[in-house]
Amino acid sequence: MDKTLAELAQHVGGAVVGDGQVIIERVAPIEEAGAGAITFLANPRYRRHLSDCRASAIIIGLEVAQGLPLGDGKGYLVASDPYLAFAKILKLFEVSPYFSETVSAFAHVDPTSELGAAVTIFSQAYVSGGAKIGRGTVLYPGVFLGAGSQVGEDCVLHPNVVVREGCRIGNRVILHAGVVIGSDGFGYAGRGDGRVKIPQIGVVVVEDDVEIGANTTVDRATLGRTVIGRGTKIDNLVQIAHNVVIGENSVIAAQAGIAGSTRIGRNVTLAGQVGVVNHIEIGDGATIGPQSGVAKRVAPGAVLSSGLPASPHQEWLRVMTLLPQLPKLWQAVRGLEKKLAQLAKREGSKI
Amino acid sequence: MDKTLAELAQHVGGAVVGDGQVIIERVAPIEEAGAGAITFLANPRYRRHLSDCRASAIIIGLEVAQGLPLGDGKGYLVASDPYLAFAKILKLFEVSPYFSETVSAFAHVDPTSELGAAVTIFSQAYVSGGAKIGRGTVLYPGVFLGAGSQVGEDCVLHPNVVVREGCRIGNRVILHAGVVIGSDGFGYAGRGDGRVKIPQIGVVVVEDDVEIGANTTVDRATLGRTVIGRGTKIDNLVQIAHNVVIGENSVIAAQAGIAGSTRIGRNVTLAGQVGVVNHIEIGDGATIGPQSGVAKRVAPGAVLSSGLPASPHQEWLRVMTLLPQLPKLWQAVRGLEKKLAQLAKREGSKI
Amino acid sequence: MDKTLAELAQHVGGAVVGDGQVIIERVAPIEEAGAGAITFLANPRYRRHLSDCRASAIIIGLEVAQGLPLGDGKGYLVASDPYLAFAKILKLFEVSPYFSETVSAFAHVDPTSELGAAVTIFSQAYVSGGAKIGRGTVLYPGVFLGAGSQVGEDCVLHPNVVVREGCRIGNRVILHAGVVIGSDGFGYAGRGDGRVKIPQIGVVVVEDDVEIGANTTVDRATLGRTVIGRGTKIDNLVQIAHNVVIGENSVIAAQAGIAGSTRIGRNVTLAGQVGVVNHIEIGDGATIGPQSGVAKRVAPGAVLSSGLPASPHQEWLRVMTLLPQLPKLWQAVRGLEKKLAQLAKREGSKI
C-alpha cells in the first residue's frame, strides 16, 4: 500500500513541495503523525500546529501554503481543494472490511427472496418474502428487510437497520446502524376518542449513492412515495416525514426534521436541528442555518437563519423580558415622533 | 375488494356527485390515479390538480366542492370531514400483512412467559422470563421484551423494539421500529467525581390505542410510573423522560422532548421539536407551536408559540446584533420621553 | 433486606426524627407509600403532600425540615443532600437483575474474540473477530460488537446497542438500548455530483463510568478519536459528531447535539435540545440552558441561555412581525434623539 508523496500528488492532481520520494504508509491526525504518515491541515487558523508536526508530509491548500516557509524541509502536498485531496488519499489507504460474500446459516432469508451474486448476509439478519438484494450488498446482524422490499447493488446496511415492506433502496447506498426506512407516516383523521389512524400504504424510495446516518427515520408515504434523491447525504437522528421529496445532492445535518409532504430541492443544505414545516417547498441550492425554523416557501439559492446565539443567562433574561414588549416599544416611539412633531410645529420650526 | 362509489359514500356517510356505480378498486395519489382508483383532495389550494386528474373518483370536502363545476363528468365523494372519509376508505382497501400466528423456533421465548392465542413471534425476537403477551399480538424480529413485562392484545411491535423489564403495554398499541420503552431515567445525585446514579426502579405504562413512532424513547420512572395515556399518538425520535405523565388522546410530533416529571393533559398538541422543561404541567387541550420552549405551567386550552421564523442571513445577523441591546433601546426611549416632557414643560405646552 | 430507619440514616450520614426503630422494607413514591415504605420529598413546594403521606419514613432536606412540625409522629430522615441520600437508599433496595454469566449458544461469538470471566452474552448478540470483553460485562440480545472493538469490565450493553469496529469502551459503562457507537462521521469533500465521502477511519473512546442514553449516536473520528470523558453522563437521542472530545463528569441532556471537532470541558452541563457548532471549545464548568444555540467559544464557568420562552400565539405573531424591524426601530430612535437635540438647541435649552 506504500506510495511516494509524488505518486499521491499525481493521484489527487496536486503539487509536491519538498522530497517527492518520501514513502507514505498511512494517514494520521496532525498531533500523532510521525515518519511514514501523511496528515492534513486545511484551516489557516491551525497553522501553528505545523511547527511541531513530525509527519512525512502534510496536505495543505493554497491559502495555508501562502503563509508558509515552504522550504522548511517538510514535505507538502499542495492541492486546490485540500479536503478533496485528503478524502481521495484516505480512500487509498482505507482498509476495506472483509466480507464473506455468503449468507449465514443463522440469518433468516425467505426462500421467495432474490439475492444477487456476492451478497453478504450476517447471522441474525432477517430477509422477508419477495425481497430483492443486488450484487455485492452487505446486511449486517439485526438488519430487517420487509416483504417485497428492494436493496440495490453494493449497499451496506449496518447493524439493526430496518427497511420495511415495499421500500426501495438504490445502488451504493449506505444506511448506518439503527436507521429506519418506511415506518408509518404520522397521520390521523378526526379528534379525541374519534381519532383514527390513516393507513400509510405508500413506500420510501432511496435513490443511488445516498448515505443516511445512525438512528435516522424516514417515514413511508400515505399514498405514493417518500423520496430521498440521488447523492443526498443525511446525518444522524434526522426525521423525514411521510411524502417528503428531497432532490439530488442535498445535505441534511444531524437532528434536522422535515414535516410531511414538504419538497426539498437539489443541492440544498439544512444545518443541524433545523425544523421545516409541512407542505412547503425549499428551492434548489438554498442553505438554512442551524436550529432555524422554516415556516414558509424558500426561494432557490436563499440563505436563511433563525438560530439564536446563546448569551450570558442574566443578560438573556433581561432581553427575554423585554422581547414581548416590542409592540409597546414601537408604540412609544410612534408616540414620541408625534409629540415631537407637534412641539416643533407649535414652535414653528421644521424638523 | 371492489366497491362502487355509492357503497364507499355510504360507508363514510358522504354524498356522491356523478356516477355512483363506477367501480373503485384501489386508492392512489392524485398524480397517479387512473381508472378504477379513488383519490383525495382536501386542500382548496391544490384544486388546480383536478383538471388533469384521471381518477374514477375524488374524495373532497365541502370547501373544495363549493368552487367546483361538479357536473364535469368526474365522480366525487363529498364528505364533511374528507380526511376521515379518506382514512376509512384507505382502511377498507388496506391489505393487512399476513401473520403466521405462531412462534418461530428461532425466537427466544422463556418458558416462564405467558402467550395468548394467535400470537406471532418472528425469529430473532427475545421474550424474557415472566413476560406476558396478549392474544393476537405480533413481535417482529429483533424485538426484546424484558423480564416481567406485559404487552396486551392486538399490538404490533415492529423490528428492534425494546420493552424493558416490568413495563406494561396496553391493547392495540403500535410501537414502530427502534422504539425503546423503559430505559433508565436520567437521574444522578451529587456532583463531579462524587456523582452517583439514582437507580431507576419504576416502570413505563403505555395505555390502550397508543401509537409511538420510530426510534422514540420513553424512560422508566425513578419510582412509580411514566404514563402514556390512552389514545395518545407520538411521532418519531421523541424523548419522554422519567415520571412524565401524558393524558389521553394527545398528539406529540417528531423530535419533541419532555423533561422529567412533567404532566401533559388530555388532547394536548405538541408540534415538532418542542421542548418542555421538567416538573411543570400543560393543561388539557393546549397547543404548542413548532420548536417552542415551554418553561412554565401552561393553562388548559392555551395556544403558545416561540419558534423563530427563518429570515435572510444578513438581515438576521443585523437583528441578532441588536437583540441583546433591547434594554439599551428601552432606556433610550425612556430618556427621550423624559427630555421631551421637560422641553414641553419649559415651553409651556401640554403634550 | 429490611432495615431500620436508624440504620438507613447511618448509611447515608443523616439524622432521624421520630422512631428510628421502624422497619423499612422498600422505597415508594410519596402518593403510594404505605407502612414499611420510605419515600422522598426534596422540593419544599411539594410540602403539602406530607399531610396525606402514610409512609413509615420520609427522606427530606434541611430546607423542607425547617418548615415542618417534626414532632408530628411521622418518621423523617433529614439529610444535607437528600437526593444523594435517596440515591444511596434506592441502591440498597434495588433488586439487581440476574445474569447467567455464560454465553448463549444462540449468540454469535467469533472464536478470535477474547472474553473475561463471568461475561454474560444473551442469545442474538453478535461479537466480531478480535473483540475483547472484560470481566462481568453483560451483552443483551441484539448487541453488535464490531471487529477489534473493546468493552471493559462490569459494563452493561442493553438490547440492540451497536459498537462498531475498533471502538473502545471503558469499565462500568452503561449503554442504553439502541445506542450507536462508532458510526461514520458526516464528512464529504467536493460538491454536487462530485461530492465524495471522506473515509472515517478513526474510532470512539468511551472512558470509565460513562452512561449513555437510549438511541444516542456517537460518530467515530475521521482520524484519531472521538472521546467521551470519564464519568460523563449523556441522555437519550443525543448526537455526538466525529472528533468531538468531551471532558470528565460532564452532563448532556436529551436531544442535544454537538457538531464535529468541538471540545467540551469537564463538569460542563448542556441542557436539553442544545446545539453546539463545530470546531469550538466550551470551557470547564460551563452551563448552557435548554434549546440554546452555541456558535462560538464559551469561557469556563459561563452560564449561557438562548432558548425562547413560549408565549400566547397572537402575541408571539405580533412580536415576530416586529423583530425583523429592530434595525428600523433603532434608526427611528436615533432620529428622534437628533431631532430633539436640534429642537432643544434652537430653543436654547440644555437637555
Side-chain angles (χ1 to χ4, degrees):
Chain A
M1 248 354 191
D2 297 1
K3 302 275 177 189
T4 65
L5 179 54
E7 287 171 326
L8 293 181
Q10 194 179 9
H11 182 66
V12 302
V16 171
V17 174
D19 177 9
Q21 294 315 303
V22 62
I23 299 292
I24 306 297
E25 302 160 355
R26 64 185 184 284
V27 188
I30 196 159
E31 311 88 328
E32 300 174 12
I38 190 167
T39 189
F40 172 64
L41 190 135
N43 195 328
R45 263 205 292 170
Y46 296 132
R47 199 180 275 147
R48 59 191 155 78
H49 286 302
L50 286 178
S51 54
D52 296 336
C53 177
R54 290 164 310 160
S56 291
I58 306 162
I59 304 164
I60 56 175
L62 298 171
E63 208 185 347
V64 172
Q66 272 157 17
L68 281 182
L70 286 174
D72 61 355
K74 293 197 167 75
Y76 292 98
L77 195 170
V78 185
S80 56
D81 184 340
Y83 277 105
L84 192 58
F86 173 60
K88 287 177 175 171
I89 289 172
L90 259 180
K91 183 84 194 155
L92 265 191
F93 286 99
E94 195 186 14
V95 181
S96 293
Y98 165 78
F99 296 119
S100 68
E101 304 194 348
T102 60
V103 175
S104 164
F106 300 101
H108 172 103
V109 180
D110 191 280
T112 65
S113 62
E114 294 177 34
L115 273 55
V119 162
T120 299
I121 303 185
F122 281 77
S123 80
Q124 299 150 22
Y126 189 100
V127 179
S128 302
K132 289 186 190 168
I133 305 175
R135 188 181 45 74
T137 281
V138 176
L139 307 189
Y140 272 98
V143 167
F144 173 85
L145 297 190
S149 61
Q150 298 180 22
V151 180
E153 302 184 350
D154 296 319
C155 295
V156 179
L157 276 59
H158 283 280
N160 300 337
V161 163
V162 171
V163 177
R164 276 187 47 193
E165 68 276 12
C167 294
R168 302 198 293 273
I169 312 292
N171 300 313
R172 297 172 304 280
V173 169
I174 302 172
L175 302 180
H176 285 286
V179 161
V180 177
I181 304 289
S183 37
D184 287 0
F186 194 62
Y188 304 92
R191 42 179 41 242
D193 278 344
R195 185 173 284 129
V196 302
K197 178 177 173 68
I198 300 179
Q200 305 287 312
I201 67 171
V203 299
V204 176
V205 173
V206 175
E207 297 182 353
D208 294 348
D209 299 303
V210 165
E211 181 165 3
I212 301 184
N215 285 346
T216 281
T217 57
V218 184
D219 280 353
R220 65 197 309 113
T222 307
L223 290 174
R225 283 173 294 281
T226 303
V227 179
I228 313 293
R230 184 174 56 78
T232 283
K233 313 298 185 186
I234 300 179
D235 201 349
N236 298 348
L237 294 169
V238 170
Q239 154 71 354
I240 311 287
H242 50 177
N243 292 87
V244 165
V245 175
I246 303 178
E248 298 177 5
N249 296 322
S250 286
V251 173
I252 300 179
Q255 296 176 319
I258 305 173
S261 299
T262 278
R263 302 180 78 89
I264 308 281
R266 307 163 59 145
N267 298 307
V268 168
T269 301
L270 304 187
Q273 299 184 337
V274 161
V276 184
V277 299
N278 58 359
H279 283 283
I280 65 164
E281 197 164 334
I282 297 191
D284 293 348
T287 298
I288 314 290
Q291 293 192 324
S292 298
V294 183
K296 56 181 193 199
R297 188 182 166 283
V298 174
V303 180
L304 303 188
S305 296
S306 76
L308 276 181
S311 52
H313 185 67
Q314 291 305 325
E315 282 178 32
W316 187 249
L317 275 185
R318 233 170 296 143
V319 172
M320 284 302 106
T321 310
L322 295 177
L323 192 59
Q325 304 189 50
L326 259 188
K328 226 188 268 180
L329 187 60
W330 266 107
Q331 270 184 314
V333 171
R334 292 300 177 223
L336 278 169
E337 284 172 338
K338 208 183 279 180
K339 285 179 196 171
L340 192 62
Q342 288 172 355
L343 199 62
K345 193 179 171 192
R346 208 170 297 136
E347 204 211 345
S349 54
K350 282 181 206 157
I351 56 170
Chain B
M1 253 347 194
D2 299 0
K3 301 275 177 190
T4 65
L5 179 54
E7 287 171 328
L8 293 181
Q10 194 180 10
H11 181 65
V12 303
V16 170
V17 173
D19 176 9
Q21 295 315 304
V22 63
I23 300 293
I24 306 296
E25 302 160 355
R26 64 186 185 284
V27 188
I30 196 159
E31 311 87 329
E32 300 174 11
I38 190 166
T39 190
F40 171 65
L41 189 135
N43 196 327
R45 262 206 294 171
Y46 296 134
R47 200 180 275 147
R48 60 190 153 80
H49 286 303
L50 286 178
S51 53
D52 297 336
C53 177
R54 292 165 308 161
S56 292
I58 306 162
I59 304 164
I60 57 175
L62 298 172
E63 208 185 347
V64 172
Q66 273 158 18
L68 281 182
L70 286 174
D72 61 355
K74 292 197 168 77
Y76 292 98
L77 196 171
V78 185
S80 56
D81 184 341
Y83 278 104
L84 192 57
F86 173 60
K88 286 177 175 173
I89 288 173
L90 260 179
K91 184 82 193 157
L92 266 190
F93 285 99
E94 194 186 14
V95 181
S96 295
Y98 165 77
F99 296 119
S100 68
E101 304 194 348
T102 61
V103 176
S104 164
F106 300 100
H108 172 103
V109 179
D110 191 279
T112 67
S113 62
E114 293 177 34
L115 273 55
V119 162
T120 299
I121 303 185
F122 281 77
S123 79
Q124 299 151 20
Y126 189 100
V127 179
S128 302
K132 288 184 190 171
I133 305 175
R135 188 181 47 75
T137 280
V138 176
L139 307 189
Y140 273 98
V143 167
F144 173 86
L145 297 190
S149 61
Q150 299 179 23
V151 180
E153 303 185 348
D154 296 319
C155 295
V156 178
L157 275 60
H158 283 280
N160 299 336
V161 163
V162 173
V163 177
R164 276 187 44 193
E165 68 274 14
C167 294
R168 300 197 295 274
I169 312 293
N171 300 313
R172 298 172 303 280
V173 169
I174 302 171
L175 302 180
H176 285 285
V179 161
V180 177
I181 303 288
S183 38
D184 287 0
F186 194 62
Y188 304 91
R191 41 178 43 243
D193 277 343
R195 185 174 283 129
V196 302
K197 178 176 173 66
I198 300 178
Q200 304 288 310
I201 67 170
V203 299
V204 176
V205 173
V206 176
E207 297 182 354
D208 294 347
D209 300 302
V210 165
E211 181 165 1
I212 301 184
N215 285 345
T216 281
T217 58
V218 184
D219 280 353
R220 63 195 313 113
T222 308
L223 290 174
R225 283 173 295 280
T226 303
V227 179
I228 313 293
R230 184 173 56 79
T232 283
K233 313 297 184 187
I234 300 179
D235 202 348
N236 298 348
L237 293 168
V238 170
Q239 152 72 353
I240 311 286
H242 50 177
N243 293 87
V244 165
V245 175
I246 303 179
E248 298 177 4
N249 296 322
S250 286
V251 173
I252 300 178
Q255 295 175 320
I258 305 173
S261 299
T262 278
R263 301 180 80 88
I264 309 282
R266 307 162 59 146
N267 298 307
V268 168
T269 301
L270 304 186
Q273 298 184 338
V274 161
V276 184
V277 300
N278 59 359
H279 283 283
I280 66 164
E281 198 164 335
I282 297 193
D284 293 348
T287 298
I288 314 291
Q291 291 192 325
S292 298
V294 183
K296 58 181 191 199
R297 190 183 165 282
V298 174
V303 179
L304 304 187
S305 296
S306 76
L308 275 182
S311 50
H313 184 67
Q314 290 304 326
E315 283 178 31
W316 187 250
L317 275 186
R318 233 170 297 142
V319 172
M320 284 302 105
T321 309
L322 295 176
L323 192 59
Q325 304 188 49
L326 261 189
K328 224 188 267 180
L329 187 61
W330 266 107
Q331 269 185 315
V333 171
R334 293 297 177 226
L336 278 169
E337 284 172 338
K338 208 183 279 180
K339 285 179 196 170
L340 191 63
Q342 288 173 354
L343 198 63
K345 193 179 170 190
R346 209 170 296 135
E347 205 211 344
S349 55
K350 281 178 204 158
I351 56 169
Chain C
M1 247 354 191
D2 298 359
K3 302 276 177 190
T4 65
L5 179 55
E7 287 170 328
L8 293 180
Q10 195 180 8
H11 181 65
V12 302
V16 171
V17 174
D19 176 10
Q21 294 316 304
V22 64
I23 301 293
I24 306 295
E25 303 160 355
R26 64 184 184 285
V27 188
I30 195 158
E31 311 87 328
E32 300 173 9
I38 190 167
T39 189
F40 170 66
L41 190 136
N43 195 327
R45 262 205 293 171
Y46 296 133
R47 201 181 274 149
R48 60 192 152 79
H49 286 303
L50 285 177
S51 54
D52 297 336
C53 177
R54 291 164 310 160
S56 291
I58 306 162
I59 304 164
I60 56 175
L62 298 172
E63 208 184 347
V64 172
Q66 273 157 17
L68 282 182
L70 285 174
D72 61 356
K74 294 197 166 76
Y76 292 98
L77 195 169
V78 185
S80 56
D81 183 341
Y83 277 103
L84 192 57
F86 173 60
K88 287 177 176 173
I89 288 173
L90 260 181
K91 184 86 194 157
L92 265 191
F93 285 99
E94 195 186 14
V95 181
S96 293
Y98 165 77
F99 296 118
S100 68
E101 305 195 348
T102 60
V103 176
S104 164
F106 300 100
H108 173 103
V109 179
D110 191 280
T112 66
S113 62
E114 294 176 33
L115 274 54
V119 162
T120 299
I121 303 185
F122 282 77
S123 79
Q124 300 149 20
Y126 189 101
V127 178
S128 303
K132 289 185 189 169
I133 306 174
R135 187 181 48 74
T137 281
V138 176
L139 308 189
Y140 272 98
V143 167
F144 173 85
L145 296 190
S149 61
Q150 298 180 23
V151 180
E153 303 184 350
D154 296 320
C155 295
V156 179
L157 276 60
H158 283 281
N160 299 337
V161 163
V162 171
V163 178
R164 276 187 46 193
E165 67 276 12
C167 295
R168 300 197 294 274
I169 312 292
N171 300 313
R172 298 172 304 280
V173 169
I174 302 171
L175 302 181
H176 285 286
V179 161
V180 177
I181 303 288
S183 37
D184 287 0
F186 194 63
Y188 304 91
R191 44 180 40 245
D193 277 344
R195 185 173 285 128
V196 301
K197 180 177 172 67
I198 300 178
Q200 305 287 309
I201 67 172
V203 299
V204 176
V205 173
V206 175
E207 296 182 355
D208 293 347
D209 300 303
V210 165
E211 181 166 3
I212 301 184
N215 284 346
T216 280
T217 57
V218 184
D219 280 353
R220 65 196 311 113
T222 307
L223 291 174
R225 281 173 296 281
T226 303
V227 179
I228 313 293
R230 184 173 57 78
T232 283
K233 312 299 185 187
I234 300 179
D235 203 348
N236 298 347
L237 293 168
V238 170
Q239 153 72 352
I240 311 286
H242 50 177
N243 292 86
V244 164
V245 175
I246 303 179
E248 298 176 5
N249 296 323
S250 287
V251 173
I252 299 178
Q255 296 176 317
I258 305 173
S261 299
T262 279
R263 302 180 79 87
I264 308 282
R266 307 163 58 146
N267 299 307
V268 168
T269 301
L270 304 187
Q273 298 183 337
V274 161
V276 184
V277 299
N278 59 359
H279 283 283
I280 65 165
E281 197 164 336
I282 296 192
D284 293 349
T287 298
I288 314 291
Q291 293 191 322
S292 297
V294 183
K296 56 182 192 198
R297 190 183 164 280
V298 174
V303 179
L304 304 187
S305 296
S306 76
L308 275 182
S311 51
H313 184 67
Q314 291 304 326
E315 282 178 32
W316 187 250
L317 274 185
R318 234 170 296 143
V319 172
M320 284 303 104
T321 309
L322 294 176
L323 192 59
Q325 304 190 48
L326 260 188
K328 225 189 266 181
L329 187 60
W330 266 106
Q331 270 185 314
V333 171
R334 293 296 177 228
L336 278 169
E337 284 172 339
K338 208 182 279 179
K339 285 179 195 172
L340 191 62
Q342 288 173 355
L343 198 63
K345 193 178 171 192
R346 209 168 299 135
E347 206 212 346
S349 54
K350 282 179 204 157
I351 57 169

